[in-house]
Amino acid sequence: MVRPAPNQFSHVLEEMHPYWFERSEQAPQPDGMLPAGTPVLLLREEGDHCRVVTGTGLYVTVARVNLRKLPGDGDG
């Protein structure tokens, strides 16, 4: 968990999507699901997965393919 949780976001999840607290070959099952439309702040890219934090402070890994950049993020 991240405290305080962010109040500005860079991306949104396009579809309901699984998340992992720690993504690894030993943990193939997701820890939960995030609903479509969840805004997230992208913190780190890791190949085809990304580390993000949600508005509730969840610090998790999601697949990059499901992220859509929000307009006005400022870095192009």
Side-chain angles (χ1 to χ4, degrees), residues 3 15 18-19 24 31 33 38 40 42 57 74 76:
R3 294 283 179 231
E15 300 175 0
Y19 67 82
S24 71
D31 293 303
M33 298 290 286
T38 300
V40 297
L42 176 64

Side-chain angles (χ1 to χ4, degrees), residues 51-74:
R51 293 293 282 178
V52 301
V53 64
T54 68
T56 60
L58 271 179
Y59 178 56
V60 295
T61 298
V62 297
R64 179 193 314 236
V65 70
N66 197 32
L67 292 179
R68 179 175 44 88
K69 188 173 178 73
L70 291 172
D73 185 36

Side-chain angles (χ1 to χ4, degrees), residues 6-27:
N7 61 5
Q8 294 183 327
F9 304 97
S10 59
H11 292 74
V12 66
L13 293 175
E14 292 189 312
E15 300 175 0
M16 179 177 263
H17 193 71
Y19 67 82
W20 294 263
F21 293 117
E22 291 295 329
R23 177 93 171 141
S24 71
E25 297 301 318
Q26 293 79 30

